[in-house]
């Protein structure tokens, strides 16, 4: 399965109309979707293996599942800043944003700079990509120093008042994941959440309350993973 035609045929074979309805209820753009489950998509990607050229071609099909597979089989070492900018402009669904950031973009040398740059953009999915990168880096980049994540705090504070659903949820996600890295960052994330709460707008209050509920519990129960260094 090393051609676009083969991959699309495999996707069509697994089409599930009921799953499409379910995905739509979760706010996923299903305009070009075939209703495959995440395990099915991952299984197809695993069967293909790394194939950067095929990934580029699959992305261009605009098929929802094909784009998910593209993010999984692309080689992060071959991902340029130009390519990231091209793909981020194509984002049209929150799950594609998060999947691409988690499977591919976080592994590039541009991840930290793009996270901050994209937060400043006005487009909903581009801004979400910035905060999604922050969250996925916090989860996966376990050896990085705290300072790399503390540089994200001003952006989390600045854009906590973005009322758009897919943005505010990503802002909240990034704050919680950074705070769960270790005790030091957890205390700083809690302090930031309390500062965000004072902004009084609806989005900020929701983000702060949700983050505080989880982070204070993690800190009290000693569930923090304590990864990274000062």
């Amino acid at each position: 399965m090393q051609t676009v035609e083969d991959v699309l045929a495999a996707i069509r074979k697994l089409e599930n109309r009921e799953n499409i309805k379910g995905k739509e209820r979760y706010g996923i753009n299903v305009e070009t979707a075939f209703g495959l489950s995440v395990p099915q998509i991952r299984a197809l990607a695993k069967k293909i293996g790394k194939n950067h050229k095929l990934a580029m071609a699959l992305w261009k099909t605009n098929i929802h599942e094909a784009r998910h597979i593209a993010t999984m089989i692309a080689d992060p070492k071959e991902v340029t800043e130009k390519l990231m900018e091209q793909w981020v402009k194509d984002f049209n669904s929150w799950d594609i944003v998060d999947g691409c950031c988690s499977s591919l973009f976080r592994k590039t040398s541009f991840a930290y700079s793009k996270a901050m740059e994209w937060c400043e953009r006005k487009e909903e999915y581009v801004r979400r990509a910035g905060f999604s990168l922050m969250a996925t880096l916090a989860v996966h980049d376990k050896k990085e120093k705290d300072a790399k994540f503390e540089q994200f705090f001003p952006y989390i504070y600045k854009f906590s008042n973005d009322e758009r659903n897919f943005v505010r949820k990503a802002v909240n996600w990034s704050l919680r994941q950074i705070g769960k890295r270790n005790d030091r960052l957890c205390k700083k994330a809690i302090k930031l959440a309390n500062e965000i709460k004072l902004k009084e707008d609806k989005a900020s209050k929701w983000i702060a309350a949700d983050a505080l509920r989880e982070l204070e519990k993690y800190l009290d129960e000693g569930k923090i993973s304590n990864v990274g260094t000062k």
Side-chain angles (χ1 to χ4, degrees):
M1 193 162 56
Q2 296 294 311
T3 68
V4 171
E5 292 74 19
D6 288 342
V7 177
L8 294 184
I11 290 172
R12 293 189 182 101
K13 188 176 180 180
L14 295 169
E15 183 176 12
N16 187 319
R17 304 308 298 180
E18 284 302 310
N19 279 355
I20 292 176
K21 294 177 183 178
K23 289 175 183 291
E24 191 170 21
R25 285 195 293 271
Y26 281 98
I28 292 172
N29 185 333
V30 297
E31 195 174 321
T32 63
F34 283 81
L36 274 65
S37 67
V38 173
Q40 287 175 322
I41 293 171
R42 286 177 178 162
L44 290 176
K46 186 176 181 180
K47 193 172 183 180
I48 297 166
K50 289 297 178 187
N51 188 326
H52 195 73
K53 184 177 180 181
L54 179 58
M56 301 303 103
L58 287 173
W59 187 268
K60 290 179 181 178
T61 66
N62 195 32
I63 299 298
H64 194 78
E65 288 81 2
R67 283 190 164 176
H68 270 303
I69 292 171
T71 70
M72 296 174 186
I73 67 173
D75 185 349
K77 293 179 181 178
E78 293 191 46
V79 174
T80 63
E81 188 174 5
K82 181 180 179 181
L83 177 65
M84 291 175 74
E85 287 295 335
Q86 290 172 341
W87 281 23
V88 79
K89 290 176 184 177
D90 290 336
F91 286 161
N92 63 354
S93 188
W94 67 264
D95 63 314
I96 292 289
V97 175
D98 295 353
C100 189
C101 289
S102 179
S103 297
L104 184 62
F105 285 175
R106 70 170 178 84
K107 300 174 184 177
T108 70
S109 59
F110 311 103
Y112 284 87
S113 61
K114 285 298 174 187
M116 294 179 283
E117 181 183 333
W118 287 343
C119 286
E120 296 281 5
R121 305 270 185 89
K122 293 181 180 181
E123 301 95 324
E124 184 172 11
Y125 291 116
V126 178
R127 184 168 289 175
R128 182 182 176 97
F131 289 108
S132 180
L133 266 178
M134 292 179 187
T136 54
L137 285 167
V139 172
H140 296 284
D141 204 354
K142 298 185 183 302
K143 295 182 179 180
E144 193 52 80
K145 293 183 177 180
D146 288 359
K148 292 283 280 189
F149 297 96
E150 288 181 61
Q151 68 181 331
F152 295 152
F153 284 170
Y155 297 90
I156 293 172
Y157 180 84
K158 181 178 180 180
F159 296 108
S160 67
N161 62 352
D162 193 321
E163 296 281 355
R164 292 175 294 181
N165 188 47
F166 298 129
V167 175
R168 70 184 178 94
K169 286 189 174 181
V171 174
N172 171 266
W173 182 29
S174 64
L175 178 58
R176 288 185 291 106
Q177 293 306 140
I178 292 171
K180 289 192 290 186
R181 282 181 63 84
N182 57 56
D183 290 349
R184 297 182 300 277
L185 283 175
C186 189
K187 290 173 183 176
K188 290 183 178 181
I190 288 173
K191 181 176 181 292
L192 177 59
N194 279 309
E195 292 171 355
I196 289 172
K197 184 168 63 174
L198 296 176
K199 292 173 74 173
E200 287 296 320
D201 62 274
K202 187 177 179 181
S204 292
K205 287 195 290 186
W206 178 84
I207 288 167
D210 189 72
L212 286 169
R213 182 166 52 250
E214 181 169 353
L215 294 176
E216 287 175 343
K217 181 179 179 181
Y218 264 69
L219 194 63
D220 289 343
E221 297 179 358
K223 292 182 177 180
I224 305 299
S225 56
N226 285 312
V227 297
T229 59
K230 291 184 179 178

